[in-house]
Amino acid sequence: MVYLPAPAQKFRVGITAEESELVVRRAANAELLTRSLNYADLSYACPPFLDLGAPKAPYILSADVIPQFAIGGKWLPVAIHLTPRFKARIFRNNELIGDSSLPVRTPSYMPGATIYFKSDKLNKPDAYLYKFASLSLFHHSNGQDGNSLRPDGTYNQYDGSFSTNYLEGAVYVSRKFGYSDGNDVNFTCDNGAKTHYDAYGRLGFEKHFSSDPNMVGRYGQNRLNVRAGLIRNKVYRDKLITSQKDTLYSECYTRERYRAVLTTSFITDSNLPDLGGKMNSWKRRVNAELMIARRLPVSANVAIQASAGYYGSDPYNAYFEDSYFFIRAGLAFGFFTATDYRDTPTR
């Protein structure tokens, strides 16, 4: 068999202004999708007895699973996340009520979707801050159909029905800064990758509707949500030793090392019922959490994490009347910064 050479291909040296604009626009679209994933909520899972503070803690296991099925990229000017969120707590045996089955008591089902928008005029190459916005729609229920209220007027945490829906609009600002070539100042990456920080902020307003009638007036229907995060991204390069003992370097790639995220939420309803003097106080209205996560060197999507904070209103469905300080530790999962998840190392 005779192999003939492939016909020569023709390449243009220059591109038109329209083509250049298209390249820039597609890069901006991809940047929106990347940032929407990097700044999204992280999932977490806590091993036995590492989630402490709640009245029924420590748990055998607690988890908040937030997968993001993303639609977007170079060819879409918006980014869309489809999120089948799920919260679960495995309780310890409770012999006092005859429950010895390690139950997952009233888990939270929170399916929803978020669409992210950007403005190319606000995000020009010389812009000090990168800005975008989002609109979310979520449902939150616990799959129970028992009476919502106990005879004493408190919410039925055992099998009481909990159901609500909410819309949230949010704006984001972020800035990358502190660029450096890493530990080796004599080495410059050919692809321009540099070690840097990525700081971002998020401000959102959450409006609930079509809630269970017994929740209205006692569960916060209007919430102001604020988040601030700092991500440390480091540039890496691998040494390759040849048979002649020559040292070569692979192309540089970027990986997140750690992040710190402070999240707060404030219920803005004008009035809540006075149950034991706590429901209508500021202590009942505020939730705050500080989380620190260190990405595992062998994974682009898994980190170890530790969190501490205060729940004025426990976000675990029918337990919303509980208020307490908490600490927890375990694993975090999400879209941490990575140059390319498919073909670069994971350290």
Side-chain angles (χ1 to χ4, degrees), residues 127-182:
Y128 184 77
L129 295 173
Y130 184 90
K131 312 170 192 70
F132 61 102
S134 68
L135 182 65
S136 302
L137 173 62
F138 276 82
H139 171 75
H140 185 184
S141 64
N142 64 354
Q144 304 296 309
D145 58 3
N147 292 329
S148 300
L149 302 179
R150 298 189 183 100
D152 63 359
T154 58
Y155 217 83
N156 176 12
Q157 297 178 344
Y158 186 78
D159 62 356
S161 173
F162 175 99
S163 178
T164 186
N165 305 279
Y166 65 88
L167 277 168
E168 185 191 29
V171 293
Y172 296 75
V173 294
S174 64
R175 181 171 181 256
K176 298 181 180 182
F177 64 97
Y179 286 92
S180 69
D181 290 316

Side-chain angles (χ1 to χ4, degrees), residues 79-123:
I80 300 171
H81 294 189
L82 306 178
T83 312
R85 188 172 184 175
F86 178 83
K87 292 183 180 181
R89 296 172 179 174
I90 301 180
F91 290 76
R92 293 167 294 149
N93 295 345
N94 192 338
E95 302 296 344
L96 295 178
I97 62 174
D99 194 341
S100 60
S101 62
L102 301 179
V104 179
R105 183 65 60 209
T106 65
S108 285
Y109 304 95
M110 304 176 67
T114 304
I115 183 169
Y116 296 85
F117 311 87
K118 68 175 181 356
S119 169
D120 292 337
K121 292 183 180 179
L122 294 177
N123 296 310

Side-chain angles (χ1 to χ4, degrees), residues 3 15 102 140 199 203 207-208 210 228-229 243 268 282 285 288 345:
Y3 291 93
I15 60 175
L102 301 179
H140 185 184
L203 175 64
K207 176 66 176 179
H208 288 252
S210 299
S243 58
T268 63
W282 69 268
R285 294 173 176 269

Side-chain angles (χ1 to χ4, degrees), residues 249-292:
Y249 289 95
S250 66
E251 184 179 79
C252 296
Y253 54 96
T254 304
R255 281 286 182 268
E256 177 177 329
R257 285 184 66 88
Y258 62 82
R259 71 172 61 192
V261 182
L262 176 63
T263 303
T264 60
S265 179
F266 185 78
I267 296 173
T268 63
D269 294 45
S270 60
N271 190 48
L272 292 172
D274 183 12
L275 300 179
K278 73 172 185 177
M279 291 294 289
N280 208 32
S281 71
W282 69 268
K283 294 180 181 179
R284 167 68 176 83
R285 294 173 176 269
V286 175
N287 284 5
E289 176 184 350
L290 176 63
M291 183 273 294
I292 298 175

Side-chain angles (χ1 to χ4, degrees), residues 15-35:
I15 60 175
T16 65
E18 291 78 7
E19 290 170 327
S20 177
E21 181 181 350
L22 179 61
V23 170
V24 171
R25 187 165 60 249
R26 286 181 174 178
N29 294 343
E31 181 74 8
L32 174 65
L33 177 62
T34 298
R35 296 206 188 213

Side-chain angles (χ1 to χ4, degrees), residues 22 25 39 55 62 69 71 85 93 112 129 146 177 191 193 231 234 254 296 331 338 344-345:
L22 179 61
R25 187 165 60 249
Y39 305 156
S62 68
F69 297 96
I71 301 172
R85 188 172 184 175
N93 295 345
L129 295 173
F177 64 97
N191 61 357
I231 302 173
K234 191 176 187 309
T254 304
L296 295 180
L331 297 177
T344 56

